[in-house]
Amino acid sequence: MCGTDDACTCSTQASTTTTAAATRPGNSQQVFQVSGMTCGGCASQVSKQLAEVPGVSDVSVDAATGAVTITSSAPVDADAVAAAVSAVGYQLVH
């Protein structure tokens, strides 16, 4: 995790990562803020971890703003999102 270092060691700075297909009608979207992401590598770690949360069909992460958009068939529990983000060393901003 490079979010705790003063200087990011990843090769890219901010990027957006999407892990699944576009939003389908009837899906729910939730936006969360994550602190500590500084580059595309950070965004990729968070995205991969959140894609494993049950019910999640799409994840979009913007490291520059800390915004994480989750698409699912039903709203995803915020505690599950926080746990997934924490598992890769970042924090959900409440």
Side-chain angles (χ1 to χ4, degrees):
M1 175 183 99
C2 59
T4 60
D5 298 334
D6 289 335
C8 177
T9 59
C10 297
S11 61
T12 59
Q13 293 304 312
S15 80
T16 300
T17 304
T18 302
T19 61
T23 304
R24 294 186 181 106
N27 281 349
S28 170
Q29 280 195 330
Q30 295 168 269
V31 179
F32 298 92
Q33 284 297 123
V34 175
S35 66
M37 294 187 298
T38 58
C39 68
C42 300
S44 179
Q45 286 180 22
V46 170
S47 180
K48 286 177 186 177
Q49 190 69 26
L50 287 172
E52 299 297 320
V53 174
V56 172
S57 60
D58 185 59
V59 179
S60 176
V61 179
D62 186 335
T65 65
V68 175
T69 303
I70 295 176
T71 303
S72 56
S73 57
V76 176
D77 181 58
D79 289 337
V81 173
V85 168
S86 178
V88 289
Y90 303 94
Q91 290 185 349
L92 197 63
V93 178
H94 296 282

